[in-house]
Amino acid sequence: MLDQTTVEQEASRIDEAEIERRQIEATTVRFPDMSITDAYRIQEAWVWRKLRRGRRIIGHKIGLTSRTMQKAMQIDEPDFGVLLDDMFFGNDQAIEASRFTDLRVEVELAFILGKTIPADLEKAEDIYKYTEKVVPAMELIAARSYRTHPVTGYVRTVRDTISDNAANAGIVLGDCNILDVTSDLRWVGAILKKNGIVEETGLAAGILNDPVNGVLWLVKKYAEFGRTLEKGQVILSGSFTKPVMVSPGDSIEVDFGKFGIVKSTFT
């Protein structure tokens, strides 16, 4: 286990990388034996730095929910991260791409909680009792540490991604409450276009067979940390497309069909 001084130092490195808009060497290069627990400790220390600067926690995200991504990262469960108030962008808003390092976008469903979810919840279908609405969403992800180092070729691990707050960068929410139309979220589909060209398509069933399974996983995982998902928070349930790279000048449109369009332009 990493000592607390090292945890704080690594959190500081990641924080400075984001502020300075530059990528750094992955933490596991320096500490190859660090654990998943160490990674979450670094994530928490970084989030606390932001909270001390006035940021607010307004949600949480679940990552690596698809079997494809789990196999690629050599894990058998998702990961999680924290959503802060400065990560939210309006639908069809222009976003400064250079603010982020190695920017990519993914297709998501966002659960808006109407009640705090009890930590001892057992059934996935009961998630709906605590959900005010479910809306289409697009997540922005970034990598403060190199995914693949340009010189050494070192590929960062899931422990590095977790330390990096599960690659959180931003979120764009749609307006339509999907639950007004259907409660079977598995069949919600989306088409992701970049500059008018279809790059990815997918069904929400790719999120652990049903997005509510992702939220229940997070409830149980957070219980291990003494945390709960609280009323008013936004929960990103996991991506059901592969990440698509974004550069300045790109436009992204995610078409959810009858549930509306989520889009952004990147300057």
PDB file of all heavy atoms in Angstrom, residues 58-80:
ATOM      1  N   ILE A  58     -21.499  16.915  -7.779  1.00  0.00           N
ATOM      2  CA  ILE A  58     -22.909  16.888  -8.175  1.00  0.00           C
ATOM      3  C   ILE A  58     -23.281  15.578  -8.874  1.00  0.00           C
ATOM      4  O   ILE A  58     -24.377  15.462  -9.413  1.00  0.00           O
ATOM      5  CB  ILE A  58     -23.274  18.092  -9.059  1.00  0.00           C
ATOM      6  CG1 ILE A  58     -22.369  18.189 -10.272  1.00  0.00           C
ATOM      7  CG2 ILE A  58     -23.204  19.380  -8.276  1.00  0.00           C
ATOM      8  CD1 ILE A  58     -22.771  19.305 -11.209  1.00  0.00           C
ATOM      9  N   GLY A  59     -22.376  14.615  -8.832  1.00  0.00           N
ATOM     10  CA  GLY A  59     -22.715  13.331  -9.422  1.00  0.00           C
ATOM     11  C   GLY A  59     -21.547  12.370  -9.417  1.00  0.00           C
ATOM     12  O   GLY A  59     -20.481  12.646  -8.847  1.00  0.00           O
ATOM     13  N   HIS A  60     -21.774  11.249 -10.074  1.00  0.00           N
ATOM     14  CA  HIS A  60     -20.782  10.179 -10.130  1.00  0.00           C
ATOM     15  C   HIS A  60     -20.884   9.463 -11.470  1.00  0.00           C
ATOM     16  O   HIS A  60     -21.925   9.526 -12.136  1.00  0.00           O
ATOM     17  CB  HIS A  60     -21.009   9.179  -8.985  1.00  0.00           C
ATOM     18  CG  HIS A  60     -21.081   9.830  -7.647  1.00  0.00           C
ATOM     19  ND1 HIS A  60     -19.960  10.068  -6.867  1.00  0.00           N
ATOM     20  CD2 HIS A  60     -22.136  10.339  -6.948  1.00  0.00           C
ATOM     21  CE1 HIS A  60     -20.326  10.675  -5.757  1.00  0.00           C
ATOM     22  NE2 HIS A  60     -21.641  10.853  -5.777  1.00  0.00           N
ATOM     23  N   LYS A  61     -19.826   8.811 -11.861  1.00  0.00           N
ATOM     24  CA  LYS A  61     -19.836   8.074 -13.122  1.00  0.00           C
ATOM     25  C   LYS A  61     -19.369   6.647 -12.909  1.00  0.00           C
ATOM     26  O   LYS A  61     -18.592   6.348 -11.995  1.00  0.00           O
ATOM     27  CB  LYS A  61     -18.939   8.735 -14.155  1.00  0.00           C
ATOM     28  CG  LYS A  61     -17.448   8.664 -13.846  1.00  0.00           C
ATOM     29  CD  LYS A  61     -16.599   8.850 -15.102  1.00  0.00           C
ATOM     30  CE  LYS A  61     -16.569   7.598 -15.944  1.00  0.00           C
ATOM     31  NZ  LYS A  61     -15.662   7.706 -17.110  1.00  0.00           N
ATOM     32  N   ILE A  62     -19.874   5.775 -13.758  1.00  0.00           N
ATOM     33  CA  ILE A  62     -19.444   4.386 -13.792  1.00  0.00           C
ATOM     34  C   ILE A  62     -18.740   4.185 -15.130  1.00  0.00           C
ATOM     35  O   ILE A  62     -19.266   4.570 -16.188  1.00  0.00           O
ATOM     36  CB  ILE A  62     -20.654   3.436 -13.674  1.00  0.00           C
ATOM     37  CG1 ILE A  62     -21.481   3.797 -12.446  1.00  0.00           C
ATOM     38  CG2 ILE A  62     -20.199   1.988 -13.610  1.00  0.00           C
ATOM     39  CD1 ILE A  62     -22.932   3.411 -12.563  1.00  0.00           C
ATOM     40  N   GLY A  63     -17.557   3.619 -15.101  1.00  0.00           N
ATOM     41  CA  GLY A  63     -16.804   3.391 -16.323  1.00  0.00           C
ATOM     42  C   GLY A  63     -16.489   1.926 -16.540  1.00  0.00           C
ATOM     43  O   GLY A  63     -16.670   1.088 -15.648  1.00  0.00           O
ATOM     44  N   LEU A  64     -16.028   1.620 -17.731  1.00  0.00           N
ATOM     45  CA  LEU A  64     -15.596   0.260 -18.087  1.00  0.00           C
ATOM     46  C   LEU A  64     -16.704  -0.759 -17.822  1.00  0.00           C
ATOM     47  O   LEU A  64     -16.496  -1.796 -17.204  1.00  0.00           O
ATOM     48  CB  LEU A  64     -14.321  -0.115 -17.309  1.00  0.00           C
ATOM     49  CG  LEU A  64     -13.124   0.834 -17.492  1.00  0.00           C
ATOM     50  CD1 LEU A  64     -11.966   0.403 -16.605  1.00  0.00           C
ATOM     51  CD2 LEU A  64     -12.709   0.896 -18.954  1.00  0.00           C
ATOM     52  N   THR A  65     -17.903  -0.439 -18.293  1.00  0.00           N
ATOM     53  CA  THR A  65     -19.041  -1.332 -18.075  1.00  0.00           C
ATOM     54  C   THR A  65     -19.198  -2.383 -19.162  1.00  0.00           C
ATOM     55  O   THR A  65     -19.866  -3.389 -18.946  1.00  0.00           O
ATOM     56  CB  THR A  65     -20.347  -0.522 -17.988  1.00  0.00           C
ATOM     57  OG1 THR A  65     -20.437   0.347 -19.124  1.00  0.00           O
ATOM     58  CG2 THR A  65     -20.395   0.307 -16.710  1.00  0.00           C
ATOM     59  N   SER A  66     -18.609  -2.174 -20.328  1.00  0.00           N
ATOM     60  CA  SER A  66     -18.765  -3.146 -21.410  1.00  0.00           C
ATOM     61  C   SER A  66     -17.737  -4.258 -21.288  1.00  0.00           C
ATOM     62  O   SER A  66     -16.625  -4.062 -20.790  1.00  0.00           O
ATOM     63  CB  SER A  66     -18.611  -2.459 -22.775  1.00  0.00           C
ATOM     64  OG  SER A  66     -17.253  -2.118 -23.017  1.00  0.00           O
ATOM     65  N   ARG A  67     -18.101  -5.443 -21.750  1.00  0.00           N
ATOM     66  CA  ARG A  67     -17.185  -6.580 -21.709  1.00  0.00           C
ATOM     67  C   ARG A  67     -15.937  -6.307 -22.545  1.00  0.00           C
ATOM     68  O   ARG A  67     -14.827  -6.693 -22.174  1.00  0.00           O
ATOM     69  CB  ARG A  67     -17.882  -7.841 -22.213  1.00  0.00           C
ATOM     70  CG  ARG A  67     -18.921  -8.390 -21.276  1.00  0.00           C
ATOM     71  CD  ARG A  67     -18.304  -8.834 -19.954  1.00  0.00           C
ATOM     72  NE  ARG A  67     -17.334  -9.907 -20.119  1.00  0.00           N
ATOM     73  CZ  ARG A  67     -16.271 -10.085 -19.355  1.00  0.00           C
ATOM     74  NH1 ARG A  67     -16.021  -9.245 -18.362  1.00  0.00           N
ATOM     75  NH2 ARG A  67     -15.452 -11.099 -19.564  1.00  0.00           N
ATOM     76  N   THR A  68     -16.122  -5.614 -23.660  1.00  0.00           N
ATOM     77  CA  THR A  68     -14.984  -5.314 -24.532  1.00  0.00           C
ATOM     78  C   THR A  68     -13.947  -4.481 -23.797  1.00  0.00           C
ATOM     79  O   THR A  68     -12.742  -4.772 -23.829  1.00  0.00           O
ATOM     80  CB  THR A  68     -15.451  -4.566 -25.794  1.00  0.00           C
ATOM     81  OG1 THR A  68     -16.353  -5.407 -26.523  1.00  0.00           O
ATOM     82  CG2 THR A  68     -14.267  -4.202 -26.681  1.00  0.00           C
ATOM     83  N   MET A  69     -14.409  -3.424 -23.107  1.00  0.00           N
ATOM     84  CA  MET A  69     -13.484  -2.551 -22.397  1.00  0.00           C
ATOM     85  C   MET A  69     -12.874  -3.249 -21.192  1.00  0.00           C
ATOM     86  O   MET A  69     -11.692  -3.056 -20.877  1.00  0.00           O
ATOM     87  CB  MET A  69     -14.203  -1.268 -21.971  1.00  0.00           C
ATOM     88  CG  MET A  69     -14.613  -0.377 -23.128  1.00  0.00           C
ATOM     89  SD  MET A  69     -13.211   0.143 -24.147  1.00  0.00           S
ATOM     90  CE  MET A  69     -12.324   1.192 -22.995  1.00  0.00           C
ATOM     91  N   GLN A  70     -13.644  -4.084 -20.509  1.00  0.00           N
ATOM     92  CA  GLN A  70     -13.108  -4.800 -19.355  1.00  0.00           C
ATOM     93  C   GLN A  70     -12.009  -5.766 -19.781  1.00  0.00           C
ATOM     94  O   GLN A  70     -10.971  -5.892 -19.114  1.00  0.00           O
ATOM     95  CB  GLN A  70     -14.227  -5.536 -18.615  1.00  0.00           C
ATOM     96  CG  GLN A  70     -15.150  -4.606 -17.851  1.00  0.00           C
ATOM     97  CD  GLN A  70     -16.235  -5.344 -17.094  1.00  0.00           C
ATOM     98  OE1 GLN A  70     -16.204  -6.565 -16.971  1.00  0.00           O
ATOM     99  NE2 GLN A  70     -17.209  -4.608 -16.582  1.00  0.00           N
ATOM    100  N   LYS A  71     -12.215  -6.456 -20.894  1.00  0.00           N
ATOM    101  CA  LYS A  71     -11.186  -7.366 -21.394  1.00  0.00           C
ATOM    102  C   LYS A  71      -9.935  -6.588 -21.806  1.00  0.00           C
ATOM    103  O   LYS A  71      -8.812  -7.029 -21.547  1.00  0.00           O
ATOM    104  CB  LYS A  71     -11.726  -8.169 -22.572  1.00  0.00           C
ATOM    105  CG  LYS A  71     -12.754  -9.220 -22.191  1.00  0.00           C
ATOM    106  CD  LYS A  71     -13.280  -9.948 -23.422  1.00  0.00           C
ATOM    107  CE  LYS A  71     -14.317 -11.001 -23.029  1.00  0.00           C
ATOM    108  NZ  LYS A  71     -14.871 -11.685 -24.235  1.00  0.00           N
ATOM    109  N   ALA A  72     -10.144  -5.437 -22.430  1.00  0.00           N
ATOM    110  CA  ALA A  72      -9.003  -4.630 -22.869  1.00  0.00           C
ATOM    111  C   ALA A  72      -8.177  -4.141 -21.686  1.00  0.00           C
ATOM    112  O   ALA A  72      -6.945  -4.040 -21.769  1.00  0.00           O
ATOM    113  CB  ALA A  72      -9.495  -3.442 -23.693  1.00  0.00           C
ATOM    114  N   MET A  73      -8.851  -3.839 -20.562  1.00  0.00           N
ATOM    115  CA  MET A  73      -8.157  -3.349 -19.377  1.00  0.00           C
ATOM    116  C   MET A  73      -7.805  -4.468 -18.401  1.00  0.00           C
ATOM    117  O   MET A  73      -7.262  -4.219 -17.332  1.00  0.00           O
ATOM    118  CB  MET A  73      -9.029  -2.313 -18.663  1.00  0.00           C
ATOM    119  CG  MET A  73      -9.339  -1.079 -19.493  1.00  0.00           C
ATOM    120  SD  MET A  73      -7.875  -0.163 -20.009  1.00  0.00           S
ATOM    121  CE  MET A  73      -7.392   0.603 -18.469  1.00  0.00           C
ATOM    122  N   GLN A  74      -8.158  -5.702 -18.766  1.00  0.00           N
ATOM    123  CA  GLN A  74      -7.833  -6.884 -17.955  1.00  0.00           C
ATOM    124  C   GLN A  74      -8.424  -6.789 -16.551  1.00  0.00           C
ATOM    125  O   GLN A  74      -7.747  -7.018 -15.549  1.00  0.00           O
ATOM    126  CB  GLN A  74      -6.316  -7.092 -17.903  1.00  0.00           C
ATOM    127  CG  GLN A  74      -5.696  -7.313 -19.269  1.00  0.00           C
ATOM    128  CD  GLN A  74      -4.188  -7.527 -19.211  1.00  0.00           C
ATOM    129  OE1 GLN A  74      -3.552  -7.347 -18.185  1.00  0.00           O
ATOM    130  NE2 GLN A  74      -3.616  -7.925 -20.328  1.00  0.00           N
ATOM    131  N   ILE A  75      -9.717  -6.450 -16.497  1.00  0.00           N
ATOM    132  CA  ILE A  75     -10.445  -6.393 -15.228  1.00  0.00           C
ATOM    133  C   ILE A  75     -11.770  -7.122 -15.400  1.00  0.00           C
ATOM    134  O   ILE A  75     -12.163  -7.453 -16.523  1.00  0.00           O
ATOM    135  CB  ILE A  75     -10.712  -4.941 -14.777  1.00  0.00           C
ATOM    136  CG1 ILE A  75     -11.538  -4.186 -15.845  1.00  0.00           C
ATOM    137  CG2 ILE A  75      -9.408  -4.214 -14.479  1.00  0.00           C
ATOM    138  CD1 ILE A  75     -12.026  -2.845 -15.396  1.00  0.00           C
ATOM    139  N   ASP A  76     -12.462  -7.365 -14.293  1.00  0.00           N
ATOM    140  CA  ASP A  76     -13.740  -8.061 -14.377  1.00  0.00           C
ATOM    141  C   ASP A  76     -14.871  -7.277 -13.702  1.00  0.00           C
ATOM    142  O   ASP A  76     -15.931  -7.824 -13.414  1.00  0.00           O
ATOM    143  CB  ASP A  76     -13.647  -9.467 -13.764  1.00  0.00           C
ATOM    144  CG  ASP A  76     -13.201  -9.442 -12.312  1.00  0.00           C
ATOM    145  OD1 ASP A  76     -13.069  -8.348 -11.741  1.00  0.00           O
ATOM    146  OD2 ASP A  76     -12.991 -10.536 -11.756  1.00  0.00           O
ATOM    147  N   GLU A  77     -14.645  -5.985 -13.434  1.00  0.00           N
ATOM    148  CA  GLU A  77     -15.702  -5.137 -12.905  1.00  0.00           C
ATOM    149  C   GLU A  77     -15.472  -3.703 -13.374  1.00  0.00           C
ATOM    150  O   GLU A  77     -14.365  -3.352 -13.807  1.00  0.00           O
ATOM    151  CB  GLU A  77     -15.754  -5.194 -11.388  1.00  0.00           C
ATOM    152  CG  GLU A  77     -14.602  -4.509 -10.682  1.00  0.00           C
ATOM    153  CD  GLU A  77     -14.842  -4.383  -9.166  1.00  0.00           C
ATOM    154  OE1 GLU A  77     -15.828  -4.951  -8.659  1.00  0.00           O
ATOM    155  OE2 GLU A  77     -14.046  -3.701  -8.510  1.00  0.00           O
ATOM    156  N   PRO A  78     -16.506  -2.863 -13.313  1.00  0.00           N
ATOM    157  CA  PRO A  78     -16.341  -1.464 -13.724  1.00  0.00           C
ATOM    158  C   PRO A  78     -15.452  -0.679 -12.758  1.00  0.00           C
ATOM    159  O   PRO A  78     -14.945  -1.218 -11.775  1.00  0.00           O
ATOM    160  CB  PRO A  78     -17.785  -0.933 -13.693  1.00  0.00           C
ATOM    161  CG  PRO A  78     -18.663  -2.134 -13.729  1.00  0.00           C
ATOM    162  CD  PRO A  78     -17.893  -3.204 -12.996  1.00  0.00           C
ATOM    163  N   ASP A  79     -15.296   0.611 -13.059  1.00  0.00           N
ATOM    164  CA  ASP A  79     -14.664   1.526 -12.115  1.00  0.00           C
ATOM    165  C   ASP A  79     -15.599   2.717 -11.916  1.00  0.00           C
ATOM    166  O   ASP A  79     -16.675   2.774 -12.512  1.00  0.00           O
ATOM    167  CB  ASP A  79     -13.265   1.965 -12.578  1.00  0.00           C
ATOM    168  CG  ASP A  79     -13.293   2.813 -13.851  1.00  0.00           C
ATOM    169  OD1 ASP A  79     -14.389   3.040 -14.401  1.00  0.00           O
ATOM    170  OD2 ASP A  79     -12.216   3.256 -14.291  1.00  0.00           O
ATOM    171  N   PHE A  80     -15.204   3.667 -11.065  1.00  0.00           N
ATOM    172  CA  PHE A  80     -16.064   4.822 -10.829  1.00  0.00           C
ATOM    173  C   PHE A  80     -15.229   6.076 -10.660  1.00  0.00           C
ATOM    174  O   PHE A  80     -14.028   6.027 -10.391  1.00  0.00           O
ATOM    175  CB  PHE A  80     -16.965   4.612  -9.603  1.00  0.00           C
ATOM    176  CG  PHE A  80     -16.230   4.479  -8.292  1.00  0.00           C
ATOM    177  CD1 PHE A  80     -15.740   5.587  -7.629  1.00  0.00           C
ATOM    178  CD2 PHE A  80     -16.046   3.231  -7.710  1.00  0.00           C
ATOM    179  CE1 PHE A  80     -15.070   5.466  -6.408  1.00  0.00           C
ATOM    180  CE2 PHE A  80     -15.389   3.087  -6.494  1.00  0.00           C
ATOM    181  CZ  PHE A  80     -14.902   4.215  -5.844  1.00  0.00           C
TER     182      PHE A  80
END
